[in-house]
Amino acid sequence: MKRFVKSFMRDIICCNLETGTFPGPIVTISRQSGCSAQRIAIKLSKILTGYSYMSDTKTDAEWRWVDKNIFEDVVDEIIEEVKEGDYDDKEESTEMLKKVAHSFSNETIYDISDEKMIDAFKGVVCRLACKGRVIIVGRSAGVILRDLPNKLNVRLEAPMEWRISRIMQLKDCLQAEAVEYVKEMDLKRDSFIEKVIGRKAMNDDFDVIFNYASMQDDEIIDAIVNILKNKKIISQHEEY
């Protein structure tokens, strides 16, 4: 018998690149508070899938941005593996994975401090990468997957004053409340990255950094698609 909690990260395929079986392709989007990464992820997934904005037609190679439903589906798959596997900590592991899924869904993932839960979360992110053609927003996915060859890690940043002004508009709140919100969210995300990789995130953790204050969503998306083509993460010959 073996313990799932200890073996999960070791056994999962995308944590062992020596096999030459690389996960992906995958795009991660990290962002500072006030930058709308989810909106970009949704548009990007449609373009990479072959959608036009006026048609429901799509190619066989579907790209998906990872919302709570997709994350929970992957967790459910892993839970089934736990139940069928030769583990002596099935109940503990199943409960832990359910907590990870719940935390992902309600945005409390950044509050997790338990080392086992963090390892389980990292494992789920890796499993998503193994499935390929996914876009993951936030949740430290970029730093978790930084060493994978078949990925693009995107970072969205903007000046503090611009982000505060934008939060005031989006939340219809006063400046003081917006300042507190921006600082709190940035701190939560930065602290979670330190829990996950043991250090602060650095610029070289990301392949490209955009100034969200000076670019439109479509400009950022066009740039991402071109980078993916030039890096041969997606085909040069397909129409997106």
Side-chain angles (χ1 to χ4, degrees):
M1 299 283 282
K2 60 181 178 178
R3 296 186 65 80
F4 175 80
V5 173
K6 291 183 178 180
S7 64
F8 183 39
M9 287 297 291
R10 182 181 67 247
D11 292 345
I12 193 167
I13 186 172
C14 63
C15 292
N16 181 10
L17 298 182
E18 293 179 359
T19 62
T21 304
F22 299 137
I26 183 171
V27 176
T28 72
I29 306 179
S30 172
R31 80 287 195 204
Q32 291 181 318
S33 180
C35 301
S36 299
Q38 180 176 314
R39 192 168 63 195
I40 287 177
I42 293 171
K43 286 185 177 182
L44 181 63
S45 68
K46 292 179 179 180
I47 290 174
L48 294 180
T49 300
Y51 277 105
S52 70
Y53 294 135
M54 301 298 294
S55 172
D56 291 329
T57 304
K58 60 183 179 180
T59 67
D60 292 331
E62 181 181 5
W63 280 74
R64 302 179 297 169
W65 79 277
V66 178
D67 59 10
K68 65 179 183 179
N69 294 324
I70 292 175
F71 191 89
E72 288 172 356
D73 286 345
V74 171
V75 169
D76 287 342
E77 288 179 13
I78 298 170
I79 288 175
E80 287 303 311
E81 293 175 15
V82 173
K83 292 178 179 178
E84 296 174 3
D86 189 25
Y87 303 108
D88 58 8
D89 58 347
K90 293 184 179 183
E91 186 174 341
E92 174 192 359
S93 301
T94 297
E95 188 62 28
M96 179 186 61
L97 286 163
K98 287 180 179 179
K99 288 180 179 178
V100 167
H102 180 72
S103 296
F104 182 96
S105 297
N106 63 15
E107 292 281 351
T108 59
I109 193 73
Y110 302 110
D111 298 327
I112 289 178
S113 58
D114 181 82
E115 189 173 333
K116 290 181 180 179
M117 287 188 66
I118 289 174
D119 282 345
F121 169 72
K122 289 163 66 176
V124 176
V125 170
C126 288
R127 180 64 62 86
L128 283 162
C130 288
K131 288 180 174 295
R133 295 192 179 93
V134 293
I135 302 167
I136 305 178
V137 172
R139 272 72 170 193
S140 300
V143 293
I144 293 171
L145 304 172
R146 72 183 300 272
D147 293 327
L148 300 186
N150 203 20
K151 63 89 182 73
L152 183 70
N153 285 345
V154 176
R155 172 78 170 168
L156 305 178
E157 297 185 353
M160 176 66 80
E161 290 184 3
W162 184 91
R163 294 191 289 129
I164 290 170
S165 176
R166 192 158 194 269
I167 292 298
M168 289 174 64
Q169 295 176 0
L170 292 174
K171 291 185 169 294
D172 191 22
C173 64
L174 298 176
Q175 184 179 34
E177 184 180 347
V179 169
E180 182 179 356
Y181 176 84
V182 167
K183 289 182 176 179
E184 179 182 356
M185 290 305 301
D186 284 351
L187 179 60
K188 274 188 175 183
R189 290 166 180 166
D190 291 344
S191 297
F192 187 64
I193 288 175
E194 288 195 62
K195 294 176 190 176
V196 169
I197 62 172
R199 62 169 174 78
K200 295 181 180 295
M202 300 182 293
N203 284 349
D204 61 4
D205 288 315
F206 308 101
D207 300 301
V208 58
I209 300 175
F210 293 103
N211 181 354
Y212 195 79
S214 64
M215 298 187 70
Q216 298 295 319
D217 286 1
D218 288 343
E219 293 172 338
I220 294 173
I221 292 168
D222 286 345
I224 291 173
V225 171
N226 284 325
I227 292 170
L228 290 170
K229 288 181 179 180
N230 290 333
K231 289 175 68 69
K232 298 182 179 179
I233 295 175
I234 60 175
S235 171
Q236 287 272 7
H237 304 292
E238 294 185 38
E239 293 295 329
Y240 286 91

